[in-house]
Amino acid sequence: MGCWAASTWLNRYPSSQICGAFMVAPPDPHGPAFPRQAAATFTGLSAQPLPRPALVVGSANDPYCTPEAAAGFVARWEARWHLAGACGHLNSTSGLGAWQHGRVLLGSLTRQ
């Protein structure tokens, strides 16, 4: 849910000195696996254009968000989209370790 928290913060503070956002594995607040009871404050959020460049990375088989739903958020955030393949939910328990591919993607955002 960090993607939603980051996008909300960026839009609330558009004049901040933040240069960009690297957002990974956005959950779909309207999807069947979303923990509505535990994260009720996130269910009313909608994606709005971001005031800074952003790169959103998702997985082809994330149980919390389909690639199509994530691509929709990305379009409304006016961000770049990268589908990392079938990695499940991209988090510390995904077994990706140091996730070199993610480091390369982050580097592509910082070089803009």
Side-chain angles (χ1 to χ4, degrees), residues 42-56:
F42 287 85
T43 59
L45 297 177
S46 63
Q48 304 295 321
L50 297 173
R52 300 286 181 271
L55 172 59
V56 182

Side-chain angles (χ1 to χ4, degrees), residues 7-53:
S7 68
T8 300
W9 191 92
L10 285 167
N11 278 316
R12 188 169 293 161
Y13 302 101
S15 61
S16 73
Q17 293 184 16
I18 301 297
C19 296
F22 183 64
M23 304 186 328
V24 179
D28 181 356
H30 304 290
F34 191 80
R36 282 174 186 72
Q37 195 167 14
T41 58
F42 287 85
T43 59
L45 297 177
S46 63
Q48 304 295 321
L50 297 173
R52 300 286 181 271

Side-chain angles (χ1 to χ4, degrees), residues 21-24 53-57 79-82 104-106 108-109:
F22 183 64
M23 304 186 328
V24 179
L55 172 59
V56 182
V57 182
R80 287 179 25 223
W81 169 235
H82 180 82
V104 170
L105 292 169
L106 176 61
S108 76
L109 178 64

Side-chain angles (χ1 to χ4, degrees), residues 52-77:
R52 300 286 181 271
L55 172 59
V56 182
V57 182
S59 171
N61 62 345
D62 188 331
Y64 296 103
C65 190
T66 65
E68 296 79 17
F73 305 145
V74 169
R76 291 191 303 278
W77 281 326

